[in-house]
């Protein structure tokens, strides 16, 4: 049975992946979530850095990078990605949060403040590899 599989579709819009959960018959269900190529690449990079033993082929195409993962890792990543996207989609309301623009981080670094961690971020909007989030994953 195909229930619980996560599938990606890029046909609708260039650079935007539809991320869909398959139903018991293996057919993708609506509603689907979306993730940009840039965000998918970033989430893969963060996930690989925080998962042991995930030194795999790097590719410009995040789908190829994801497919290069071991099967168990690929399934775990897809499920983690779906949960992350669904969580932020459910919470978005009128907007995700106020964010400090990149120029502020650049100014802090230029002043010698040693910016290496963000106190309030999500995997989707973090600037640094290390960040604090409301969620553990």
């Amino acid at each position: 049975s195909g229930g619980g599989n996560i599938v990606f579709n890029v046909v609708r819009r260039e650079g935007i992946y539809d991320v869909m959960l398959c139903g018991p018959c293996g057919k993708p269900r609506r509603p689907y979530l979306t993730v940009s190529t840039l965000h998918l690449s970033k989430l893969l990079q963060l996930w690989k850095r925080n998962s042991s033993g995930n030194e795999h082929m790097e590719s410009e195409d995040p789908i190829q990078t994801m497919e290069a993962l071991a099967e168990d890792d690929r399934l775990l990543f897809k499920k983690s990605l779906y949960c992350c996207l669904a969580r932020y989609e459910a919470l978005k309301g009128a907007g995700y949060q106020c964010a400090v623009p990149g120029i502020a981080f650049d100014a802090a670094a230029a002043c010698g403040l040693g910016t290496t961690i963000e106190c309030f971020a999500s995997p989707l909007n973090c600037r640094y590899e290390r960040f604090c989030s409301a969620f553990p994953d």
Side-chain angles (χ1 to χ4, degrees):
S1 76
N5 289 334
I6 310 295
V7 295
F8 292 79
N9 180 9
V10 294
V11 175
R12 248 180 3 105
R13 290 184 286 172
E14 175 123 6
I16 302 292
Y17 296 98
D18 292 333
V19 183
M20 298 164 281
L21 182 64
C22 292
C25 64
K27 183 178 178 184
R29 294 180 170 179
R30 284 192 165 185
Y32 46 78
L33 302 168
T34 59
V35 65
S36 70
T37 301
L38 180 65
H39 280 125
L40 182 57
S41 295
K42 179 182 196 174
L43 293 168
L44 262 167
Q45 183 180 33
L46 288 169
W47 187 81
K48 286 171 36 176
R49 285 183 184 158
N50 292 299
S51 301
S52 61
N54 280 306
E55 300 303 320
H56 296 283
M57 173 187 90
E58 289 295 325
S59 168
E60 296 266 333
D61 180 0
I63 297 297
Q64 288 180 358
T65 300
M66 187 171 43
E67 293 303 320
L69 295 171
E71 184 175 0
D72 288 346
D73 291 338
R74 185 172 54 252
L75 293 174
L76 181 59
F77 173 76
K78 285 181 173 184
K79 288 178 181 181
S80 297
L81 172 70
Y82 190 87
C83 289
C84 178
L85 294 175
R87 175 187 310 123
Y88 285 102
E89 179 66 22
L91 292 175
K92 77 176 179 183
Y96 294 110
Q97 62 193 26
C98 293
V100 175
I103 196 166
F105 285 103
D106 296 340
C111 291
L113 294 179
T115 53
T116 59
I117 188 168
E118 293 174 78
C119 292
F120 306 100
S122 79
L124 298 168
N125 75 355
C126 66
R127 181 175 175 103
Y128 301 112
E129 182 179 324
R130 294 177 26 196
F131 61 92
C132 300
S133 176
F135 305 104
D137 57 352

